Amino acid sequence: MSEPSEQWRAFFRQHIKQDTDLVRGYLAYIDQCALRDLPPIFEERHLSRLIGVDHREMAFYFTSAPGRYRRFRMPKRLGGFREINVPTPLLLAIQQWILRNILYKLPVSTVAHGGVPGRSIISNATMHLGARSVLKVDLKSFFDTVLLPRGIAIFESAGYSPRLSKSLALLCFEGGRLPQGAPTSPALANLSAISLDGRLNALAKKFELNYTRYVDDLTFSGRSIGTAFIAIVRGIVEDAGFIVNSDKTRLMRGRSPKFVTGLAVGGDRVRVPRAFKREVRNKAFQLAKRGVERHLEATETSDPLVLEKVTGQLAFWLQAEPDSKTARQLFDALTDYRRGLTSILKLPDPKRIATIQDWYRIFVDDDPVTTTS
């Protein structure tokens, strides 16, 4: 018998005294949670105490009332805007608790690499090294297609009651959909796509292909992929309740350069694209040579986070190519420069709020090309 079960049994003996059917049901539920390493939660007030938030203050977040998120629009590279919903500080803390204590403990597909601890765009791209054919399929408005009933079903499948599952889902959804900007959204999206991943992985094995998914990017690779295969994939995706973005479907074959989540996979190891290296190398060199203030003056820009951004890009380069001497030298140079700063930099006022994107989306090819050979 598990330790949590023994503790709860002692609690019930002290406060209820009788071995009722209700107590036996509670204990069975607690044992089930212990087997899954999940916290037993009885109702909303109990959840509030576990998180450490006053129930009266938390009650507002069990609703879909406006004011739980700060909304803004982020421009897309190819035009249009993406709506971002940032949770309030309290809701963010609540969602992070749910993510750590519940969502990260639920089994996720082995082919999912985005939003999964220990996996990344590098682990995703590595699965497709040296492939002669690579098919990339994008799920359109992925988070928007994951609706509240799916979220409720995920928490119910974890063993929580229908009422509590709805409350947990309401804490993670906005307007009945997964909000871009909430820390729980990638994990819930992965859990909602388990069936889709299973069907697509089985299809890939049937055609002797590899399959992975990084959030909304599906990738297939192998010796040969025909255009008819795309139609089969589309049918499975739509049957699972998702939508294929035809404008971003890309089939790379033959000697054409092949990229997966922004990384080159044509050789025996993943590499950062040359264009990305060239841009980051030039920025890092100028920053190390001029310093931040003179660099911003020379480039007529006003990004106060330029040093942090370029340092982060160099760290990403080193993560993908740890043996790169150029990236290491530039990273060390900027690190030394930062350590030598003894006064607050006088930076010009920013002209706009700097946006943060997934690294691979900075240099991934989003052109609507259907097939390359």
Side-chain angles (χ1 to χ4, degrees), residues 46 85 87 139 180 204 217 223 260 269 300 336 364:
H46 183 213
N85 293 270
L139 298 180
Q180 292 198 47
D217 290 335
R223 290 179 57 84
V260 174
R269 57 180 178 174
E300 297 184 349
D336 291 341
V364 68

Side-chain angles (χ1 to χ4, degrees), residues 325-336:
K325 294 181 179 179
T326 300
R328 172 56 61 188
Q329 291 172 351
L330 290 171
F331 181 84
D332 291 343
L334 290 190
T335 301
D336 291 341

Side-chain angles (χ1 to χ4, degrees), residues 77-79 136 138 245-252 364-372:
R77 288 181 63 247
L78 298 180
K136 298 199 301 183
D138 179 82
N245 188 341
S246 300
D247 291 340
K248 292 186 178 181
T249 298
R250 184 175 174 86
L251 178 58
M252 297 164 283
V364 68
D365 181 6
D366 281 332
D367 293 334
V369 179
T370 303
T371 305
T372 59

Side-chain angles (χ1 to χ4, degrees), residues 127-281:
M127 298 299 297
H128 305 282
L129 283 174
R132 295 177 60 181
S133 298
V134 174
L135 170 65
K136 298 199 301 183
V137 178
D138 179 82
L139 298 180
K140 187 175 182 178
S141 303
F142 182 36
F143 284 3
D144 287 343
T145 55
V146 181
L147 304 180
L148 181 63
R150 283 203 193 203
I152 296 173
I154 288 170
F155 288 110
E156 286 185 349
S157 68
Y160 296 113
S161 68
R163 177 174 176 175
L164 180 62
S165 294
K166 182 177 180 180
S167 296
L168 287 166
L170 284 172
L171 292 170
C172 303
F173 281 71
E174 173 68 359
R177 304 174 187 275
L178 279 183
Q180 292 198 47
T184 46
S185 291
L188 284 166
N190 282 334
L191 292 165
S192 73
I194 287 179
S195 177
L196 172 66
D197 286 337
R199 294 177 64 183
L200 291 178
N201 196 34
L203 175 69
K205 290 181 178 179
K206 181 178 179 180
F207 284 82
E208 298 182 348
L209 303 173
N210 292 322
Y211 163 70
T212 63
R213 180 178 56 79
Y214 189 89
V215 191
D216 55 358
D217 290 335
L218 317 180
T219 305
F220 301 84
S221 68
R223 290 179 57 84
S224 177
I225 301 177
T227 54
F229 183 80
I230 301 176
I232 302 176
V233 171
R234 178 188 297 274
I236 293 176
V237 169
E238 293 178 351
D239 186 61
F242 300 103
I243 306 169
V244 170
N245 188 341
S246 300
D247 291 340
K248 292 186 178 181
T249 298
R250 184 175 174 86
L251 178 58
M252 297 164 283
R253 298 186 291 192
R255 298 181 179 179
S256 64
K258 298 174 180 63
F259 298 93
V260 174
T261 46
L263 294 169
V265 296
D268 58 353
R269 57 180 178 174
V270 296
R271 294 188 178 278
V272 176
R274 293 179 181 176
F276 176 80
K277 292 180 182 179
R278 183 166 53 251
E279 179 181 355
V280 174
R281 183 173 59 241

